Coordinates of all heavy atoms in Angstrom, one line a residue:
M211 N 195.1 68.4 134.3 CA 193.8 67.8 134.2 C 193.1 67.8 135.6 O 193.7 67.5 136.6 CB 193.9 66.4 133.7 CG 193.6 66.2 132.3 SD 194.0 64.6 131.7 CE 195.4 65.0 130.7
T212 N 191.8 68.0 135.7 CA 191.1 68.0 137.0 C 190.2 66.9 137.0 O 189.5 66.6 136.1 CB 190.4 69.4 137.2 OG1 189.6 69.6 136.1 CG2 191.4 70.5 137.4
G213 N 190.1 66.3 138.2 CA 189.2 65.2 138.4 C 189.6 63.9 137.7 O 190.3 63.9 136.7
P214 N 189.1 62.8 138.2 CA 189.4 61.5 137.6 C 188.8 61.4 136.2 O 187.6 61.8 136.1 CB 188.9 60.5 138.5 CG 187.9 61.2 139.4 CD 188.2 62.6 139.3
V215 N 189.5 61.0 135.2 CA 188.9 60.8 133.9 C 188.5 59.4 133.8 O 189.2 58.4 134.0 CB 190.0 61.1 132.8 CG1 189.4 60.9 131.4 CG2 190.5 62.5 133.0
R216 N 187.2 59.2 133.4 CA 186.6 57.8 133.4 C 187.0 57.1 132.1 O 187.1 55.9 132.1 CB 185.1 57.9 133.6 CG 184.7 58.4 135.0 CD 183.3 58.8 135.1 NE 183.0 59.8 134.2 CZ 181.8 60.3 134.0 NH1 180.8 59.8 134.5 NH2 181.6 61.3 133.1
W217 N 187.0 57.8 131.0 CA 187.4 57.2 129.8 C 188.1 58.2 128.9 O 188.0 59.4 129.1 CB 186.1 56.6 129.1 CG 185.0 57.6 128.8 CD1 184.0 57.9 129.7 CD2 184.9 58.4 127.7 NE1 183.2 58.9 129.1 CE2 183.7 59.2 127.9 CE3 185.6 58.6 126.5 CZ2 183.2 60.1 126.9 CZ3 185.2 59.5 125.5 CH2 184.0 60.3 125.8
W218 N 188.8 57.7 127.9 CA 189.6 58.5 127.0 C 189.2 58.2 125.5 O 189.0 57.1 125.2 CB 191.0 58.2 127.2 CG 191.5 58.4 128.6 CD1 191.4 57.6 129.7 CD2 192.2 59.6 129.1 NE1 191.9 58.2 130.8 CE2 192.5 59.4 130.4 CE3 192.7 60.8 128.4 CZ2 193.2 60.3 131.2 CZ3 193.4 61.7 129.2 CH2 193.6 61.5 130.5
E219 N 189.2 59.3 124.8 CA 189.1 59.1 123.4 C 190.6 59.3 122.9 O 191.3 60.1 123.4 CB 188.3 60.2 122.7 CG 187.9 60.0 121.3 CD 187.1 61.1 120.7 OE1 186.1 61.5 121.4 OE2 187.4 61.6 119.6
M220 N 191.0 58.4 122.1 CA 192.4 58.5 121.7 C 192.6 58.2 120.2 O 191.9 57.4 119.6 CB 193.3 57.6 122.5 CG 192.7 56.2 122.8 SD 193.6 55.4 124.2 CE 192.4 55.5 125.5
R221 N 193.5 58.9 119.6 CA 193.8 58.6 118.2 C 195.3 58.9 117.9 O 195.9 59.8 118.6 CB 192.9 59.3 117.3 CG 192.9 60.8 117.4 CD 192.0 61.4 116.3 NE 191.7 62.8 116.4 CZ 192.5 63.7 115.9 NH1 193.6 63.4 115.3 NH2 192.3 65.0 116.1
P222 N 195.8 58.2 116.9 CA 197.2 58.5 116.5 C 197.3 59.9 116.0 O 196.4 60.4 115.3 CB 197.5 57.5 115.5 CG 196.3 56.7 115.2 CD 195.2 57.2 116.1
A223 N 198.5 60.5 116.3 CA 198.7 61.9 115.8 C 200.2 62.0 115.4 O 201.0 61.3 115.8 CB 198.4 62.9 116.9
E224 N 200.4 62.9 114.5 CA 201.7 63.2 114.0 C 201.7 64.7 113.5 O 201.1 64.9 112.5 CB 202.2 62.2 113.0 CG 203.7 62.3 112.8 CD 204.1 61.2 111.7 OE1 203.4 60.2 111.5 OE2 205.2 61.4 111.2
G225 N 202.3 65.5 114.2 CA 202.3 67.0 113.9 C 203.3 67.4 112.9 O 204.3 66.6 112.6
R226 N 203.2 68.5 112.3 CA 204.1 69.1 111.4 C 204.8 70.3 112.0 O 205.7 70.8 111.3 CB 203.5 69.4 110.0 CG 203.4 68.2 109.1 CD 202.9 68.5 107.7 NE 201.9 67.5 107.3 CZ 200.6 67.7 107.3 NH1 200.1 68.9 107.6 NH2 199.8 66.8 106.9
Q227 N 204.4 70.7 113.1 CA 205.0 71.8 113.7 C 206.3 71.5 114.6 O 206.3 70.4 115.2 CB 204.0 72.5 114.7 CG 202.9 73.1 113.9 CD 201.7 73.3 114.8 OE1 201.0 72.3 115.1 NE2 201.4 74.5 115.2
A228 N 207.2 72.4 114.6 CA 208.4 72.2 115.4 C 208.2 72.6 116.8 O 208.8 73.6 117.3 CB 209.6 72.9 114.8
K229 N 207.3 71.9 117.5 CA 207.2 72.2 118.9 C 207.2 70.9 119.7 O 207.3 69.8 119.2 CB 205.9 73.0 119.2 CG 204.6 72.3 118.7 CD 203.4 73.2 119.1 CE 202.1 72.6 118.7 NZ 201.0 73.4 119.1
T230 N 207.3 71.1 121.0 CA 207.4 69.9 121.9 C 206.1 69.8 122.7 O 205.5 70.8 123.1 CB 208.6 70.0 122.8 OG1 208.6 71.2 123.5 CG2 209.9 69.9 122.0
Y231 N 205.8 68.6 123.1 CA 204.7 68.3 124.0 C 205.3 67.6 125.2 O 206.3 67.0 125.1 CB 203.7 67.4 123.3 CG 203.0 68.0 122.1 CD1 203.0 67.4 120.9 CD2 202.2 69.1 122.3 CE1 202.3 67.9 119.8 CE2 201.5 69.7 121.2 CZ 201.6 69.1 120.0 OH 200.9 69.6 118.9
T232 N 204.6 67.8 126.3 CA 204.9 67.0 127.5 C 203.9 65.9 127.7 O 202.7 66.1 127.7 CB 204.9 68.0 128.7 OG1 205.8 69.1 128.5 CG2 205.4 67.2 130.0
C233 N 204.5 64.7 127.7 CA 203.6 63.6 127.9 C 203.0 63.6 129.3 O 203.6 63.7 130.3 CB 204.5 62.3 127.7 SG 203.6 60.8 128.1
P234 N 201.6 63.5 129.4 CA 201.0 63.6 130.7 C 201.2 62.4 131.5 O 200.8 62.4 132.7 CB 199.5 63.8 130.3 CG 199.3 63.2 128.9 CD 200.7 63.4 128.3
I235 N 201.7 61.3 130.9 CA 201.9 60.1 131.6 C 203.2 60.0 132.3 O 203.4 59.7 133.5 CB 201.6 58.9 130.7 CG1 200.1 59.0 130.2 CG2 201.8 57.6 131.4 CD1 199.8 58.1 129.0
C236 N 204.3 60.2 131.5 CA 205.6 60.1 132.1 C 206.3 61.5 132.3 O 207.4 61.6 132.8 CB 206.5 59.2 131.2 SG 207.0 60.0 129.6
H237 N 205.6 62.5 131.8 CA 206.1 63.9 131.9 C 207.4 64.2 131.1 O 208.0 65.1 131.4 CB 206.2 64.4 133.4 CG 205.0 64.2 134.2 ND1 203.9 64.9 134.0 CD2 204.6 63.2 135.1 CE1 202.9 64.5 134.7 NE2 203.3 63.5 135.4
G238 N 207.6 63.3 130.2 CA 208.8 63.5 129.3 C 208.4 64.3 128.1 O 207.2 64.4 127.8
M239 N 209.4 65.0 127.6 CA 209.1 65.8 126.4 C 209.3 65.1 125.1 O 210.2 64.2 125.1 CB 210.0 67.1 126.4 CG 209.9 67.9 127.7 SD 209.1 69.4 127.5 CE 210.4 70.4 126.7
F240 N 208.6 65.4 124.1 CA 208.9 64.8 122.8 C 208.5 65.8 121.7 O 207.7 66.8 122.0 CB 208.1 63.5 122.6 CG 206.6 63.6 122.7 CD1 205.9 63.8 121.6 CD2 206.0 63.5 124.0 CE1 204.5 63.8 121.7 CE2 204.6 63.6 124.0 CZ 203.9 63.7 122.9
L241 N 209.0 65.6 120.5 CA 208.7 66.5 119.4 C 207.3 66.2 118.8 O 207.0 65.0 118.7 CB 209.8 66.4 118.3 CG 211.1 67.0 118.6 CD1 212.1 66.6 117.6 CD2 211.0 68.5 118.7
A242 N 206.6 67.2 118.4 CA 205.3 67.0 117.8 C 205.4 66.2 116.6 O 204.4 65.6 116.2 CB 204.7 68.4 117.5
M243 N 206.6 66.2 115.9 CA 206.7 65.6 114.6 C 206.8 64.0 114.8 O 206.8 63.3 113.8 CB 207.9 66.1 113.9 CG 207.5 67.5 113.3 SD 208.9 68.3 112.5 CE 209.7 69.0 113.8
T244 N 207.1 63.6 116.0 CA 207.2 62.1 116.2 C 205.8 61.6 116.3 O 204.9 62.2 116.9 CB 208.0 61.7 117.4 OG1 207.5 62.4 118.5 CG2 209.5 62.1 117.2
P245 N 205.5 60.4 115.8 CA 204.2 59.8 115.9 C 203.9 59.7 117.4 O 204.7 59.2 118.2 CB 204.3 58.4 115.3 CG 205.5 58.5 114.4 CD 206.4 59.5 115.0
N246 N 202.7 60.1 117.8 CA 202.3 60.1 119.2 C 200.8 59.8 119.3 O 200.1 59.6 118.2 CB 202.6 61.4 119.9 CG 202.0 62.6 119.2 OD1 200.8 62.9 119.5 ND2 202.7 63.3 118.4
T247 N 200.2 59.8 120.4 CA 198.8 59.6 120.6 C 198.1 60.8 121.2 O 198.6 61.4 122.2 CB 198.6 58.3 121.5 OG1 199.2 57.2 120.9 CG2 197.1 58.0 121.7
L248 N 197.0 61.2 120.6 CA 196.3 62.3 121.0 C 195.2 61.8 122.0 O 194.4 60.9 121.6 CB 195.7 63.1 119.8 CG 195.1 64.4 120.0 CD1 196.0 65.4 120.8 CD2 194.8 65.0 118.6
L249 N 195.1 62.4 123.1 CA 194.1 61.9 124.1 C 193.1 63.0 124.4 O 193.4 64.2 124.6 CB 194.9 61.7 125.5 CG 195.9 60.6 125.5 CD1 196.7 60.7 126.8 CD2 195.3 59.2 125.3
F250 N 191.9 62.6 124.4 CA 190.8 63.5 124.8 C 190.1 63.0 126.0 O 189.4 61.9 126.0 CB 189.7 63.6 123.7 CG 190.3 64.1 122.3 CD1 190.5 63.1 121.3 CD2 190.6 65.4 122.1 CE1 191.0 63.5 120.1 CE2 191.1 65.8 120.9 CZ 191.3 64.9 119.9
P251 N 190.3 63.6 127.2 CA 189.7 63.1 128.4 C 188.2 63.2 128.3 O 187.6 64.3 128.1 CB 190.2 64.0 129.5 CG 191.1 65.0 128.9 CD 191.0 64.9 127.4
E252 N 187.5 62.1 128.3 CA 186.1 61.9 128.1 C 185.6 62.7 126.9 O 184.5 63.3 126.9 CB 185.4 62.4 129.4 CG 185.8 61.5 130.6 CD 185.0 61.8 131.8 OE1 184.1 62.6 131.8 OE2 185.3 61.2 132.8
G253 N 186.4 62.7 125.8 CA 186.1 63.3 124.6 C 186.2 64.8 124.5 O 185.8 65.4 123.6
D254 N 186.8 65.4 125.6 CA 186.9 66.8 125.7 C 188.0 67.4 124.8 O 189.2 67.2 125.1 CB 187.1 67.2 127.2 CG 187.0 68.7 127.4 OD1 187.0 69.5 126.4 OD2 186.9 69.1 128.6
R255 N 187.6 68.1 123.7 CA 188.6 68.6 122.8 C 189.5 69.7 123.4 O 190.6 69.9 123.1 CB 187.9 69.2 121.6 CG 187.2 68.2 120.7 CD 188.2 67.3 120.1 NE 187.6 66.3 119.1 CZ 187.1 65.1 119.5 NH1 187.1 64.7 120.7 NH2 186.6 64.3 118.5
E256 N 188.9 70.4 124.4 CA 189.6 71.5 125.1 C 190.8 71.0 125.9 O 191.7 71.7 126.2 CB 188.6 72.3 126.0 CG 187.5 72.9 125.3 CD 187.8 74.1 124.5 OE1 188.3 75.1 125.1 OE2 187.7 74.1 123.3
R257 N 190.6 69.8 126.4 CA 191.6 69.3 127.3 C 192.5 68.2 126.7 O 193.1 67.4 127.3 CB 190.9 68.7 128.6 CG 190.3 69.7 129.4 CD 190.0 69.2 130.8 NE 188.9 68.2 130.8 CZ 188.7 67.3 131.7 NH1 189.6 67.2 132.7 NH2 187.7 66.5 131.7
R258 N 192.6 68.3 125.4 CA 193.4 67.2 124.7 C 194.8 67.3 125.0 O 195.4 68.4 125.3 CB 193.2 67.4 123.2 CG 193.8 68.6 122.6 CD 193.5 68.7 121.1 NE 194.1 69.9 120.5 CZ 193.4 71.0 120.5 NH1 192.1 71.1 120.9 NH2 193.9 72.1 120.0
R259 N 195.4 66.2 125.1 CA 196.9 66.1 125.4 C 197.5 65.1 124.4 O 196.9 64.1 124.0 CB 197.1 65.5 126.8 CG 196.5 66.4 127.9 CD 197.1 67.7 128.1 NE 198.6 67.7 128.3 CZ 199.2 67.7 129.4 NH1 198.4 67.7 130.5 NH2 200.5 67.6 129.6
H260 N 198.8 65.4 124.1 CA 199.6 64.5 123.3 C 200.4 63.7 124.3 O 201.0 64.2 125.2 CB 200.5 65.3 122.4 CG 199.7 65.9 121.2 ND1 199.6 65.3 120.0 CD2 199.1 67.1 121.2 CE1 198.9 66.1 119.2 NE2 198.6 67.2 119.9
A261 N 200.4 62.4 124.0 CA 201.2 61.5 124.9 C 202.0 60.5 124.0 O 201.7 60.3 122.8 CB 200.3 60.7 125.8
H262 N 203.1 60.0 124.6 CA 203.8 58.9 123.9 C 202.9 57.8 123.7 O 202.2 57.3 124.6 CB 204.9 58.4 124.8 CG 206.1 59.4 125.1 ND1 206.4 59.8 126.3 CD2 206.9 60.0 124.2 CE1 207.4 60.6 126.2 NE2 207.7 60.8 125.0
T263 N 202.9 57.3 122.5 CA 202.1 56.1 122.1 C 202.5 54.9 123.0 O 201.6 54.2 123.5 CB 202.3 55.7 120.7 OG1 201.9 56.9 119.9 CG2 201.5 54.5 120.3
A264 N 203.8 54.8 123.4 CA 204.2 53.7 124.2 C 203.7 53.8 125.6 O 203.3 52.8 126.3 CB 205.8 53.6 124.2
C265 N 203.6 55.0 126.1 CA 203.1 55.3 127.5 C 201.6 54.9 127.5 O 201.1 54.3 128.5 CB 203.3 56.7 127.9 SG 205.0 57.1 128.3
V266 N 200.9 55.3 126.5 CA 199.5 55.0 126.4 C 199.3 53.5 126.4 O 198.5 52.9 127.1 CB 198.8 55.7 125.2 CG1 197.3 55.3 125.1 CG2 198.9 57.2 125.3
A267 N 200.1 52.8 125.6 CA 200.0 51.4 125.4 C 200.3 50.7 126.8 O 199.6 49.7 127.1 CB 201.0 50.9 124.4
R268 N 201.2 51.3 127.5 CA 201.6 50.7 128.8 C 200.4 50.9 129.8 O 200.0 50.0 130.5 CB 202.8 51.4 129.4 CG 203.8 50.4 130.1 CD 205.0 51.1 130.6 NE 205.7 51.8 129.6 CZ 206.1 53.1 129.6 NH1 205.7 53.9 130.6 NH2 206.7 53.7 128.6
Q269 N 199.8 52.1 129.8 CA 198.6 52.3 130.6 C 197.5 51.4 130.3 O 196.8 50.8 131.1 CB 198.1 53.8 130.5 CG 199.1 54.8 131.0 CD 199.2 54.8 132.5 OE1 198.2 55.0 133.1 NE2 200.4 54.6 133.0
R270 N 197.3 51.2 129.0 CA 196.2 50.4 128.5 C 196.4 48.9 128.9 O 195.5 48.2 129.3 CB 196.1 50.5 127.0 CG 195.9 51.9 126.4 CD 194.5 52.2 125.9 NE 193.9 51.2 125.2 CZ 192.7 50.7 125.4 NH1 192.0 51.3 126.3 NH2 192.2 49.8 124.6
A271 N 197.7 48.5 128.8 CA 198.0 47.1 129.2 C 197.8 46.9 130.7 O 197.4 45.8 131.1 CB 199.5 46.8 128.8
A272 N 197.9 48.0 131.5 CA 197.7 47.9 132.9 C 196.2 48.1 133.2 O 195.8 48.1 134.4 CB 198.5 48.9 133.6
G273 N 195.4 48.3 132.2 CA 193.9 48.5 132.4 C 193.6 49.8 132.9 O 192.5 50.0 133.6
K274 N 194.5 50.8 132.7 CA 194.2 52.1 133.3 C 193.5 53.2 132.4 O 192.9 54.1 132.9 CB 195.5 52.7 133.8 CG 195.9 52.1 135.2 CD 197.3 52.7 135.6 CE 197.9 51.9 136.7 NZ 199.3 52.1 136.8
M275 N 193.6 53.0 131.2 CA 193.0 54.0 130.3 C 192.0 53.3 129.4 O 192.4 52.6 128.5 CB 194.0 54.7 129.4 CG 195.0 55.6 130.2 SD 196.2 56.4 129.2 CE 195.3 57.9 128.8
L276 N 190.7 53.5 129.7 CA 189.7 52.8 129.0 C 189.2 53.7 127.9 O 189.1 54.9 128.0 CB 188.5 52.4 129.9 CG 188.9 51.6 131.1 CD1 187.6 51.3 132.0 CD2 189.4 50.2 130.7
T277 N 188.7 53.1 126.8 CA 188.0 53.8 125.8 C 186.6 53.9 126.3 O 186.2 53.3 127.3 CB 188.0 53.1 124.5 OG1 187.4 51.8 124.6 CG2 189.4 52.9 124.0
R278 N 185.8 54.8 125.7 CA 184.4 55.0 126.1 C 183.6 53.6 126.1 O 182.9 53.3 127.1 CB 183.7 56.0 125.2 CG 182.3 56.2 125.7 CD 181.6 57.3 124.9 NE 180.5 57.8 125.7 CZ 180.0 59.0 125.6 NH1 180.4 59.8 124.6 NH2 179.0 59.4 126.4
S279 N 183.7 52.9 125.1 CA 183.0 51.6 125.0 C 183.4 50.6 126.1 O 182.6 49.9 126.7 CB 183.0 51.0 123.6 OG 184.3 50.8 123.2
E280 N 184.7 50.6 126.4 CA 185.2 49.7 127.4 C 184.7 50.2 128.8 O 184.3 49.4 129.6 CB 186.8 49.7 127.5 CG 187.4 49.0 126.3 CD 188.9 49.3 126.2 OE1 189.4 50.3 126.8 OE2 189.5 48.5 125.5
W281 N 184.7 51.5 129.0 CA 184.2 52.0 130.3 C 182.7 51.7 130.4 O 182.3 51.4 131.5 CB 184.5 53.5 130.3 CG 183.9 54.2 131.5 CD1 184.3 54.1 132.8 CD2 182.7 54.9 131.6 NE1 183.4 54.8 133.7 CE2 182.4 55.3 132.9 CE3 181.8 55.4 130.6 CZ2 181.3 56.1 133.3 CZ3 180.7 56.1 130.9 CH2 180.5 56.5 132.3
E282 N 182.0 51.9 129.4 CA 180.5 51.7 129.4 C 180.3 50.2 129.8 O 179.4 49.9 130.5 CB 179.9 52.1 128.1 CG 179.6 53.6 128.1 CD 179.1 54.1 126.7 OE1 179.1 53.3 125.8 OE2 178.7 55.2 126.6
R283 N 181.1 49.4 129.1 CA 180.9 47.9 129.4 C 181.2 47.6 130.8 O 180.6 46.8 131.5 CB 181.8 47.1 128.4 CG 181.2 45.9 127.9 CD 182.1 45.2 126.9 NE 182.5 46.1 125.8 CZ 183.7 46.2 125.2 NH1 184.7 45.4 125.7 NH2 183.9 47.0 124.2
A284 N 182.3 48.3 131.3 CA 182.7 48.0 132.7 C 181.8 48.5 133.8 O 181.6 48.0 134.8 CB 184.1 48.5 132.9
S285 N 181.1 49.7 133.4 CA 180.3 50.3 134.5 C 178.8 49.9 134.4 O 178.1 50.1 135.3 CB 180.4 51.8 134.3 OG 180.0 52.2 133.0
R286 N 178.5 49.3 133.3 CA 177.1 48.8 133.2 C 176.9 47.6 134.1 O 177.7 46.7 134.2 CB 176.9 48.4 131.7 CG 175.4 48.4 131.3 CD 175.3 47.9 129.9 NE 176.0 48.7 128.9 CZ 176.6 48.2 127.8 NH1 176.6 47.0 127.6 NH2 177.2 49.0 127.0
P287 N 175.7 47.6 134.8 CA 175.5 46.4 135.6 C 175.4 45.1 134.8 O 174.9 45.2 133.7 CB 174.1 46.7 136.3 CG 173.5 47.8 135.5 CD 174.6 48.5 134.8
A288 N 175.9 44.1 135.3 CA 176.0 42.8 134.6 C 174.5 42.4 134.3 O 173.7 42.4 135.1 CB 176.7 41.8 135.4
R289 N 174.4 42.1 133.0 CA 173.1 41.6 132.6 C 172.9 40.1 132.9 O 174.0 39.4 132.9 CB 172.9 41.8 131.1 CG 172.0 43.1 130.9 CD 171.8 43.3 129.4 NE 172.9 43.9 128.7 CZ 173.1 43.8 127.4 NH1 172.3 43.1 126.7 NH2 174.1 44.4 126.8
P290 N 171.7 39.6 133.1 CA 171.6 38.2 133.4 C 172.2 37.4 132.2 O 171.9 37.8 131.0 CB 170.1 38.0 133.5 CG 169.5 39.3 133.6 CD 170.5 40.3 133.1
S291 N 172.9 36.4 132.5 CA 173.5 35.7 131.5 C 172.6 34.8 130.7 O 171.6 34.2 131.3 CB 174.6 34.8 132.1 OG 175.2 34.0 131.1
K292 N 172.8 34.7 129.4 CA 172.0 33.8 128.6 C 172.5 32.4 128.6 O 171.9 31.5 128.0 CB 171.9 34.3 127.2 CG 170.8 35.4 127.0 CD 170.8 35.9 125.6 CE 170.7 37.4 125.5 NZ 171.4 37.9 124.4
Q293 N 173.7 32.2 129.2 CA 174.3 30.9 129.2 C 173.5 29.9 130.1 O 172.9 30.4 131.1 CB 175.7 31.0 129.8 CG 176.6 31.6 128.8 CD 178.0 31.8 129.4 OE1 178.2 31.8 130.6 NE2 179.0 31.9 128.5
P294 N 173.5 28.7 129.8 CA 172.8 27.7 130.7 C 173.6 27.7 132.1 O 174.7 28.0 132.2 CB 173.0 26.4 130.0 CG 174.0 26.6 128.9 CD 174.0 28.1 128.7
W295 N 172.8 27.3 133.1 CA 173.3 27.4 134.5 C 174.6 26.6 134.6 O 175.5 27.0 135.4 CB 172.3 26.9 135.5 CG 171.9 25.5 135.3 CD1 170.9 25.0 134.5 CD2 172.5 24.4 135.9 NE1 170.8 23.7 134.6 CE2 171.8 23.2 135.4 CE3 173.6 24.2 136.8 CZ2 172.1 21.9 135.8 CZ3 173.9 22.9 137.1 CH2 173.2 21.8 136.6
W296 N 174.7 25.5 134.0 CA 175.9 24.7 134.1 C 177.1 25.3 133.6 O 178.2 25.1 134.0 CB 175.7 23.2 133.6 CG 175.1 23.2 132.2 CD1 173.8 23.2 131.8 CD2 175.8 23.2 131.0 NE1 173.6 23.2 130.5 CE2 174.9 23.2 129.9 CE3 177.2 23.3 130.7 CZ2 175.3 23.2 128.6 CZ3 177.6 23.3 129.3 CH2 176.6 23.3 128.3
R297 N 177.0 26.1 132.5 CA 178.1 26.8 132.0 C 178.6 27.9 133.0 O 179.8 28.1 133.1 CB 177.7 27.5 130.6 CG 177.6 26.6 129.5 CD 178.9 26.0 129.1 NE 179.9 27.0 128.5 CZ 180.0 27.2 127.2 NH1 179.2 26.5 126.3 NH2 180.9 28.0 126.7
R298 N 177.6 28.5 133.7 CA 178.0 29.5 134.6 C 178.7 28.9 135.8 O 179.7 29.4 136.4 CB 176.8 30.3 135.1 CG 176.5 31.6 134.3 CD 175.3 32.2 134.8 NE 174.1 31.5 134.2 CZ 172.9 31.5 134.8 NH1 172.7 32.1 136.0 NH2 171.9 30.9 134.2
L299 N 178.2 27.8 136.2 CA 178.8 27.1 137.4 C 180.2 26.5 137.1 O 181.1 26.6 138.0 CB 177.9 25.9 137.8 CG 176.8 26.2 138.9 CD1 176.2 24.9 139.3 CD2 177.4 26.9 140.1
F300 N 180.3 26.0 136.0 CA 181.6 25.3 135.7 C 182.6 26.1 134.9 O 183.4 25.6 134.2 CB 181.3 23.9 135.1 CG 180.5 23.0 136.1 CD1 179.2 22.7 135.7 CD2 181.0 22.7 137.3 CE1 178.5 21.9 136.6 CE2 180.3 21.9 138.2 CZ 179.0 21.5 137.8
G301 N 182.3 27.4 134.9 CA 183.4 28.3 134.4 C 183.5 28.4 132.9 O 184.3 27.6 132.3
A302 N 182.7 29.2 132.3 CA 182.9 29.5 130.9 C 183.5 30.9 130.9 O 183.1 31.8 130.2 CB 181.5 29.5 130.2
R303 N 184.6 31.0 131.6 CA 185.3 32.3 131.7 C 186.1 32.6 130.5 O 186.8 31.7 130.1 CB 186.1 32.3 133.0 CG 185.5 33.2 134.1 CD 186.2 33.0 135.4 NE 185.4 32.3 136.4 CZ 185.9 31.6 137.3 NH1 187.2 31.4 137.5 NH2 185.1 30.9 138.2
R304 N 186.0 33.8 130.1 CA 186.9 34.1 128.9 C 188.2 34.6 129.3 O 188.3 35.3 130.3 CB 186.2 35.2 128.1 CG 185.2 34.6 127.1 CD 184.3 35.6 126.5 NE 183.4 36.1 127.5 CZ 182.6 37.2 127.4 NH1 182.6 37.9 126.3 NH2 181.8 37.5 128.3
Ligands
LIG547 ZN1 205.4 59.3 128.0

């Protein structure tokens, strides 16, 4: 993969072919027939990669692999809050 990937499209996959994939996260090999996660860097079908579902989950838990909507939310400038000033001051943090 070239360049930093800002967001990922991901979906569960399970192949029927007797081949192996190399997980781009841990570089371990696994059989296509085991349930795994298909990754599309920024939705790019040409660069799709199969990864261990557990590896993806670990990355996601560490906040490293964002979905498009998460990335858009994170990169969008913060909009003025509709909350009353006192809620902002005294921490209405989620
Ligand atoms: Zn892995």
Side-chain angles (χ1 to χ4, degrees):
M211 260 172 252
T212 52
V215 178
R216 292 166 300 173
W217 57 269
W218 300 80
E219 191 180 314
M220 42 195 109
R221 62 176 170 85
E224 196 176 338
R226 273 185 224 107
Q227 292 156 287
K229 57 178 178 179
T230 54
Y231 293 121
T232 306
C233 173
I235 298 164
C236 72
H237 305 291
M239 304 250 285
F240 61 92
L241 286 170
M243 283 175 277
T244 55
N246 60 82
T247 299
L248 193 49
L249 299 169
F250 302 102
E252 301 186 1
D254 189 346
R255 295 292 186 273
E256 301 284 298
R257 291 196 290 155
R258 67 180 179 272
R259 298 295 304 267
H260 288 267
H262 290 121
T263 299
C265 286
V266 175
R268 221 178 303 125
Q269 294 287 303
R270 305 253 318 131
K274 281 179 193 159
M275 292 179 89
L276 302 178
T277 61
R278 182 175 204 158
S279 57
E280 285 166 346
W281 173 75
E282 280 173 351
R283 220 176 300 140
S285 58
R286 204 183 297 146
R289 261 185 280 158
S291 175
K292 272 181 229 147
Q293 287 177 340
W295 64 270
W296 50 268
R297 284 294 289 267
R298 265 177 284 151
L299 268 188
F300 300 113
R303 254 169 251 153
R304 272 166 290 167

